[in-house]
Amino acid sequence: MNRYVKLALEEAENQESDIILIEMDTYGGAVNDADDIRTALLDTETPTYVFINKDAASAGALISFACDSIYMAPGASIGAATVVVQTGEAAPDKYQSYMRSIMRSTAEAKGRNPEIAEAMVDESIYIEGISDSGKVLTLSTSEAIKYEIATAEVISVTDALEHAGIYDYEITEFELSALEKIIALVLNPAVSGILILIILGGIYFELQTPGVGFPIAAAVIALTIYLIPHYLHGLAAYWEIILFFIGLVLIGLEIFVIPGFGIAGISGLILTLGSLTLIMLGNDFFDFSGVPTDQIYSAMGAVSISFALSLILVVVGSMRLHKSSFINRLALTTTQESSEGYQVNFHQESLVGKIGAAYTVLRPSGKVEIDGKIHDAFTRGDFIDAGTAIKVISQESNTLKVKKA
């Protein structure tokens, strides 16, 4: 919603709209995103109206206070802006203090009673005739109008415009573009989980069949689709992305450099899966106080399920991969039987002690010429130029071991 509002404000500016009107019905959300939306509304020079169609609780109250005019539907309410943690309990006082401050400053900026705004956050604030001490303030439509928080009671967007004295108008309803809808779809934990599955599976199968290219290409494409939407929405921080690639490097070191499966591999796996989880959450360097509990569980569940499915894919895929027609076109899967002409021509006689010449440069392997015939050969590590006399010192299968004569 944070990005949605910013895009809508940009579109309104591009179209030179006379009014921005928000239809709201929300129980609230993350404080950081609500503050971003509040700031964007305060910064715009276009008049902003909000029509509260039933609920403007918590973050919704803050955003409503940032608008120039507030209209409320019959039976609507505004308030209850106390900051809560994942369990639903009130957050520590430093968060309440910040929320009180921005609620007060926002009310002052729009000419509303700042004490009422603070009372929506702090239950200890008592306003005679308006709020009782010990209860967080929430106002009904009639109360909000009475205390000059809301402008009027209306039943629709058009009713709000007419109450403002606007009769000749054209409404442009902002809608997300196809690209933005795709981005929103990718942010869905289920879709993100599928992308994580492709990332992990692609990396594994590329390591098992290096050079094929398709698995790593799929992994790179899935990773790009996964990262860009989360980055655009402010979820994927640089340090989280860096952690992901550090994890991949550690896994690579474990596979190609360090024998066995030890600290590097386990650490790499933890960093890779952990970073994929963190990217889905709007945490501030492991501070999850502003992240709803359901989002944390959803992100952890998506990554865990994807990892489990990738393990199943690895087991099943490893068993079936060599039978697939695609792999059969890329790799040799048949036995080269001697009856079908596949033979290695071993030397029929011993050539040990024979003198010949290097037919090619031996670096240290190459070809030598003995008695007019060309043979594969290698040295003990020395380089021998072409044309140099050589002597056969041993014979291994169909290859000769030689030295300078």
Side-chain angles (χ1 to χ4, degrees):
M1 185 56 65
N2 189 348
R3 181 170 171 78
Y4 183 92
V5 171
K6 289 179 180 178
L7 292 172
L9 294 180
E10 290 175 5
E11 181 67 17
E13 183 177 349
N14 293 335
Q15 292 186 1
E16 298 182 352
S17 300
D18 298 299
I19 295 171
I20 296 169
L21 196 151
I22 300 171
E23 183 171 0
M24 178 180 292
D25 184 11
T26 179
Y27 293 114
V31 174
N32 55 329
D33 289 305
D35 192 20
D36 287 344
I37 295 172
R38 173 196 77 109
T39 302
L41 290 172
L42 290 175
D43 289 343
T44 185
E45 296 180 358
T46 307
T48 53
Y49 298 174
V50 59
F51 169 50
I52 301 175
N53 192 359
K54 294 301 182 284
D55 293 301
S58 190
L62 174 62
I63 295 168
S64 297
F65 269 73
C67 295
D68 296 305
S69 297
I70 299 175
Y71 295 92
M72 299 177 67
S77 61
I78 181 173
T82 302
V83 183
V84 297
V85 295
Q86 294 96 320
T87 60
E89 300 176 350
D93 187 62
K94 68 175 183 177
Y95 299 103
Q96 309 302 343
S97 175
Y98 176 74
M99 191 65 175
R100 284 197 304 269
S101 174
I102 60 176
M103 282 289 287
R104 182 181 185 90
S105 63
T106 305
E108 290 175 345
K110 295 301 180 179
R112 298 187 177 94
N113 189 328
E115 291 186 352
I116 291 178
E118 282 192 277
M120 291 181 176
V121 180
D122 192 344
E123 61 186 14
S124 66
I125 295 178
Y126 170 73
I127 306 174
E128 185 176 357
I130 299 178
S131 69
D132 298 326
S133 180
K135 294 182 179 180
V136 176
L137 180 61
T138 299
L139 298 178
S140 65
T141 298
S142 59
E143 290 171 332
I145 296 171
K146 177 181 178 181
Y147 303 126
E148 299 182 344
I149 298 300
T151 302
E153 177 181 313
V154 297
I155 59 174
S156 65
V157 168
T158 55
D159 194 16
L161 291 173
E162 291 176 3
H163 187 278
I166 302 170
Y167 297 95
D168 184 14
Y169 58 83
E170 178 184 349
I171 294 180
T172 301
E173 185 173 344
F174 178 73
E175 294 183 356
L176 290 174
S177 65
L179 177 60
E180 289 295 333
K181 289 180 180 178
I182 293 173
I183 290 175
L185 176 65
V186 173
L187 292 176
N188 185 299
V191 178
S192 295
I194 294 173
L195 292 173
I196 292 172
L197 174 62
I198 297 173
I199 294 168
L200 298 177
I203 292 173
Y204 173 81
F205 284 112
E206 180 62 29
L207 294 175
Q208 294 299 306
T209 55
V212 173
F214 172 74
I216 194 64
V220 170
I221 293 172
L223 179 62
T224 303
I225 296 174
Y226 178 79
L227 288 179
I228 290 178
H230 288 90
Y231 178 78
L232 290 176
H233 281 260
L235 295 174
Y238 287 116
W239 63 274
E240 294 169 335
I241 298 174
I242 291 172
L243 282 181
F244 174 79
F245 286 105
I246 291 175
L248 290 184
V249 170
L250 289 174
I251 293 173
L253 289 174
E254 186 71 39
I255 294 173
F256 297 108
V257 180
I258 306 172
F261 190 83
I263 296 177
I266 295 173
S267 300
L269 194 60
I270 292 173
L271 285 178
T272 301
L273 297 178
S275 61
L276 290 173
T277 305
L278 292 171
I279 286 171
M280 298 174 69
L281 301 172
N283 69 98
D284 185 11
F285 285 100
F286 299 101
D287 181 1
F288 300 94
S289 56
V291 183
T293 308
D294 59 338
Q295 289 186 16
I296 296 176
Y297 290 150
S298 180
M300 293 176 63
V303 174
S304 300
I305 293 172
S306 298
F307 178 62
L309 289 176
S310 67
L311 292 179
I312 296 172
L313 181 65
V314 164
V315 174
V316 176
S318 299
M319 296 170 60
R320 297 179 178 269
L321 191 62
H322 69 281
K323 298 180 181 179
S324 68
S325 58
F326 175 73
I327 292 298
N328 288 338
R329 290 195 296 268
L330 299 174
L332 181 65
T333 59
T334 58
T335 303
Q336 296 179 335
E337 300 292 345
S338 59
S339 59
E340 298 176 359
Y342 296 102
Q343 297 182 1
V344 176
N345 293 320
F346 292 96
H347 301 289
Q348 301 297 318
E349 58 178 318
S350 175
L351 298 178
V352 176
K354 288 276 188 176
I355 302 297
Y359 188 76
T360 66
V361 179
L362 301 176
R363 299 181 176 147
S365 62
K367 294 184 181 295
V368 297
E369 184 177 3
I370 301 174
D371 296 335
K373 295 182 179 181
I374 307 300
H375 304 273
D376 292 325
F378 65 96
T379 70
R380 290 175 293 190
D382 302 327
F383 281 19
I384 300 176
D385 293 329
T388 304
I390 56 90
K391 181 179 181 179
V392 179
I393 57 177
S394 67
Q395 194 167 318
E396 301 179 8
S397 298
N398 63 331
T399 306
L400 304 177
K401 187 174 184 180
V402 302
K403 68 176 182 177
K404 285 185 180 180

